[in-house]
Amino acid sequence: MQSAWSDEQARATVENLRARDPRCNEDIALRVYTSRLIGREPQLVLHGGGNTSVKTTWVDDLGEEVAVLCVKGSGWDLGSIEPRGLPAVRLASLTALRGLASLSDEAMVNATRTRLLDASSPTPSVETLLHAFLPHRFIDHSHADAILALVDQRDASALCREVFGDTLAVVPYVMPGFDLAKLAAEVYESNPDSEGLLLLQHGLFTYGDTARESYERHIRAVTKAEAFVASRRPPAAAIEVSDPGLSYRDFAPCLRGRLGAGQRRYVLTARGGRRVRGFVDRADLHSVARRGPATPDHVIRTKQRPLVLSAPASGSTWADQLESALARYREDYAAYFRTQVATVGQNKTMLDPDPRVILVPGFGLVAAGPNPCAAEIAADIYEHTIAVIEDAEAVGAYRPLDDTDLFAMEYWSLEQAKLGRKPAAPLAGQVVYVTGAASGIGAACARALVGAGAEVFLVDRDARSLRVVAEELHAAWHPVDVTDAVAVQHSFDLVVRRFGGVDGVVSNAGTAPRSPIADCSPQLMQSSLDLNLLAHQVVASEAVAILRAQGTGGFLTFNASKAAFNPGPGFGPYAIAKAGLIALMRQFALELGDAGIRSNAVNADRVRTGLFSDEFVVERARARGIDPARYFRANLLQQEVTADDVADAFVWLATAKRTTGAVITVDGGNIAAAPR
Ligand SMILES: [Zn+2]
């Protein structure tokens, strides 16, 4: 690994940060600079892992200069850290804690929080005391892959001495907290010439007088580990990958529907690069994958072990295989929980027993999370775990933490806090496919669904406007003309790739062709039927195939129109297709109720969208005998109906568990259009 230090960049970072905040001194600015260098290298840390600190001075509210430890705050990622992500804690009273015989985790958090100079700071890292008890000005901590390949070994101490000599001192595994902080300080004091500490089954600390010294000692240690691992790696052999006979489009919904026991929804992400494929085809996969995560932090993202599937025997399917393997996994997890609870004698509530990483021979890995970000994090972590396992096996035998230490970490209150405890939004984890999402009611639905916690996949044939909406919402999108059945099918392949499945559809795309019915050309009639009726059947049917594979119900919602019940003169091509759409909605409701799939429609009226040009409004108002100025308020409540009002109805239908075959009217009151 190369040092990424640059004098020029370091200087620029210092100038930049100090210009923005004069209270940010040079120590803190350089601490930010090298923390980012570490955080941006995935071979060192992943997704919020690792931590760094600097001992410096700060002026308190009495104007006095006090010695402080600025240490990474929880919730910050080293790669994008800012000075406020390194809260300042009073150093003298922090180091005084070392005199205590013991300190519980909760008391330790309280001790760090009550010594903050700024009460609004994030909580300092759980490894704050370790940073405080070491005397060095700059300290860097990572979970570098190459280091883990050496410290996750049966004979890790001897191996570490062989590779690093006396440069790095070895600290046996102790869970992060007060005891580890004291032990690390003692090990350092017995090895005062060391450049850092190797924490067995955990990671690497380095220290130095300057930001550059500590950082470059870190890079040097990792490079040494990399070279050693490379010298032990067997010559690269061609990877033989098997053909799983598995279609992800079929497999993913099947898996997704079986996770979470109907209580929680997960989204999935798949990885199948050559390295992953080679790993899942290892003959000893069951053995190596069951040994556990490479560093304790990872357990909350990946669980203590992945679910390893075996290829189905002939006559059996992947779905059958999955069913029995999941049942076994849950039993194993419950047994692990019971054994560990009995061992530690504490009162704990079991977390959900489902896997976060699923290894599929011949295919690759599938990661699950409550949202796409969590699924990607689990997948990233496991890809690095694969590298660590393979390197550790090349060096000796991969041996990470045992179940007792893993359990302590998985059920550690401070670690659980990292996952956040926000109450779940009504559509959390649910994936909704929205058509005509580039503007008007479709865009409003997309916003409202995201507001209710859903993951959305947006389609429209207007790619440029769609992109604007998708970027605003950080949503997945794809340009699709819904009258093209092949394009619709392909877009659902993308939904499965992105999320692992789907939970509902807002079938909204439409147009408003006008013509007196007796003069309507067959072409105009056909094009209205294609978009306003037939395309809805294609979209809904693609969704139904996935919903059936999941077996967890779902919802279809259609944007109909008051024209279905109260047609207006000269608007036949539109009204006829929309009347058919109500029939289509009812047919889906009738035929899919036993699969738990609900089908409903929203009837909106006179919503100001792109379909309503000024000329169109005047024409429709005349046709209905209404003053054009009052057109949008010509209803019983005399209120204009907005796209957001309509979107609220769609969100309600998405969550209305006991409603199917219904038409919800959002029109401010139009008695002539009341469904009958
Ligand atoms: Zn750590």
Side-chain angles (χ1 to χ4, degrees):
M1 183 171 288
Q2 298 277 318
S3 165
W5 176 278
S6 139
D7 284 337
E8 202 181 316
Q9 276 179 18
R11 211 171 325 114
T13 308
V14 171
E15 280 167 17
N16 187 348
L17 292 175
R18 298 203 65 187
R20 275 196 275 152
D21 179 4
R23 282 165 53 99
C24 172
N25 66 29
E26 186 166 322
D27 285 343
I28 296 171
L30 286 171
R31 178 67 284 175
V32 167
Y33 172 62
T34 53
S35 299
R36 288 178 184 168
L37 295 184
I38 289 178
R40 286 171 190 174
E41 176 46 78
Q43 311 285 341
L44 293 176
V45 293
L46 288 169
H47 302 296
N51 44 62
T52 58
S53 70
V54 59
K55 296 180 183 75
T56 181
T57 57
W58 194 253
V59 178
D60 72 5
D61 37 17
L62 294 172
E64 285 170 17
E65 196 162 90
V66 290
V68 293
L69 174 77
C70 292
V71 62
K72 193 191 97 165
S74 65
W76 282 85
D77 192 294
L78 287 180
S80 54
I81 203 156
E82 295 286 340
R84 66 206 150 80
L86 292 159
V89 197
R90 288 177 191 274
L91 184 58
S93 63
L94 210 50
T95 47
L97 293 168
R98 198 176 160 190
L100 296 176
S102 67
L103 189 65
S104 74
D105 296 330
E106 284 71 19
M108 176 181 75
V109 171
N110 184 60
T112 54
R113 279 212 69 85
T114 51
R115 286 162 174 80
L116 286 167
L117 269 84
D118 179 347
S120 68
S121 299
T123 297
S125 159
V126 294
E127 279 159 335
T128 294
L129 294 184
L130 198 160
H131 288 262
F133 294 172
L134 291 170
H136 312 82
R137 287 183 65 219
F138 287 85
I139 300 177
D140 294 38
H141 169 46
S142 79
H143 308 134
D145 291 355
I147 296 288
L148 293 176
L150 301 182
V151 298
D152 284 336
Q153 292 284 343
R154 206 184 318 267
D155 292 322
S157 291
L159 186 65
C160 289
R161 262 189 291 278
E162 180 189 338
V163 178
F164 300 103
D166 296 333
T167 349
L168 300 175
V170 172
V171 183
Y173 182 80
V174 170
M175 199 164 120
F178 181 68
D179 293 342
L180 174 61
K182 280 178 81 158
L183 178 63
E186 284 160 21
V187 171
Y188 160 69
E189 282 155 8
S190 312
N191 299 272
D193 297 326
S194 60
E195 296 181 357
L197 303 172
L198 288 160
L199 273 58
L200 298 189
Q201 277 94 31
H202 180 162
L204 170 69
F205 276 82
T206 55
Y207 24 70
D209 279 341
T210 64
R212 182 172 186 174
E213 183 177 56
S214 178
Y215 166 71
E216 290 194 333
R217 283 175 169 178
H218 213 87
I219 300 302
R220 221 164 27 242
V222 173
T223 307
K224 219 174 216 179
E226 283 174 342
F228 183 81
V229 169
S231 72
R232 298 292 185 95
R233 228 178 254 145
I239 298 174
E240 294 273 334
V241 289
S242 62
D243 176 4
L246 169 147
S247 139
Y248 190 65
R249 164 91 188 231
D250 297 335
F251 176 74
C254 185
L255 167 61
R256 180 170 185 257
R258 283 165 174 79
L259 292 176
Q263 303 293 311
R264 284 167 297 272
R265 294 288 160 114
Y266 289 98
V267 293
L268 309 180
T269 190
R271 301 281 170 90
R274 284 195 71 75
R275 177 154 215 174
V276 176
R277 292 280 300 270
F279 181 76
V280 296
D281 274 1
R282 280 178 77 112
D284 60 354
L285 177 67
H286 283 266
S287 155
V288 291
R290 282 183 61 80
R291 291 182 213 163
T295 187
D297 249 17
H298 292 174
V299 70
I300 54 168
R301 302 292 192 177
T302 62
K303 282 221 172 278
Q304 93 284 27
R305 52 186 63 112
L307 167 64
V308 181
L309 288 179
S310 301
S314 65
S316 169
T317 64
W318 278 104
D320 300 336
Q321 195 70 357
L322 182 58
E323 192 79 54
S324 56
L326 263 177
R328 258 196 322 276
Y329 185 94
R330 290 179 183 129
E331 278 165 29
D332 281 358
Y333 187 82
Y336 151 81
F337 178 80
R338 281 194 306 271
T339 310
Q340 295 308 323
V341 163
T343 312
V344 296
Q346 285 172 4
N347 207 3
K348 302 269 183 194
T349 306
M350 191 171 88
L351 298 169
D352 87 277
D354 281 350
R356 297 294 185 275
V357 176
I358 298 93
L359 303 179
V360 189
F363 175 77
L365 77 85
V366 183
N371 52 57
C373 180
E376 295 295 330
I377 289 176
D380 285 350
I381 287 178
Y382 208 78
E383 282 209 58
H384 282 266
T385 304
I386 287 173
V388 172
I389 292 176
E390 295 202 316
D391 282 346
E393 286 289 297
V395 166
Y398 177 62
R399 205 199 69 174
L401 286 188
D402 62 23
D403 277 359
T404 306
D405 287 322
L406 271 181
F407 179 82
M409 203 69 193
E410 190 179 359
Y411 283 83
W412 188 26
S413 56
L414 304 186
E415 198 66 9
Q416 289 294 313
K418 283 191 194 170
L419 295 175
R421 296 208 183 268
K422 278 190 277 173
L427 293 175
Q430 301 222 26
V431 178
V432 188
Y433 181 98
V434 184
T435 73
S439 60
I441 290 171
C445 283
R447 287 189 191 96
L449 288 163
V450 168
E455 308 299 333
V456 292
F457 189 93
L458 309 181
V459 304
D460 200 294
R461 50 179 184 199
D462 176 357
R464 192 193 296 218
S465 306
L466 182 63
R467 183 187 185 141
V468 173
V469 176
E471 283 180 356
E472 171 203 324
L473 296 173
H474 305 288
W477 60 285
H478 195 67
V480 176
D481 176 349
V482 290
T483 61
D484 177 347
V486 173
V488 170
Q489 185 183 33
H490 172 64
S491 71
F492 275 93
D493 289 346
L494 298 178
V495 172
V496 172
R497 275 264 148 212
R498 179 82 175 89
F499 299 108
V502 75
D503 299 287
V505 162
V506 171
S507 194
N508 159 72
T511 184
R514 287 156 286 157
S515 166
I517 195 66
D519 303 330
C520 181
S521 71
Q523 292 80 1
L524 185 68
M525 197 67 209
Q526 187 62 53
S527 71
S528 179
L529 289 173
D530 284 346
L531 179 56
N532 291 323
L533 174 60
L534 303 178
H536 291 272
Q537 189 263 340
V538 171
V539 167
S541 301
E542 285 292 335
V544 165
I546 297 171
L547 294 173
R548 279 182 160 147
Q550 287 175 172
T552 47
F555 62 90
L556 308 172
T557 49
F558 300 93
N559 191 0
S561 163
K562 71 101 196 286
F565 299 102
N566 176 18
F571 216 3
Y574 180 71
I576 291 161
K578 289 295 190 181
L581 183 56
I582 297 287
L584 181 79
M585 173 277 284
R586 288 178 174 152
Q587 200 68 33
F588 274 111
L590 177 70
E591 295 184 15
L592 292 156
D594 61 354
I597 299 169
R598 300 176 295 106
S599 174
N600 295 289
V602 175
N603 267 6
D605 188 18
R606 295 179 198 163
V607 178
R608 217 184 277 266
T609 68
L611 296 184
F612 286 82
S613 63
D614 290 349
E615 164 241 358
F616 181 90
V617 169
V618 171
E619 186 201 304
R620 294 312 312 147
R622 291 227 174 94
R624 295 265 178 189
I626 302 166
D627 171 5
R630 287 193 58 252
Y631 181 75
F632 287 106
R633 285 182 288 116
N635 56 47
L636 300 179
L637 298 175
Q638 300 176 33
Q639 300 281 333
E640 180 172 339
V641 176
T642 67
D644 291 338
D645 296 323
V646 181
D648 287 346
F650 275 100
V651 170
W652 182 78
L653 283 173
T655 57
K657 296 239 157 40
R658 302 287 179 268
T659 300
T660 191
V663 179
I664 303 294
T665 301
V666 188
D667 62 2
N670 178 343
I671 207 68
R676 64 188 169 114

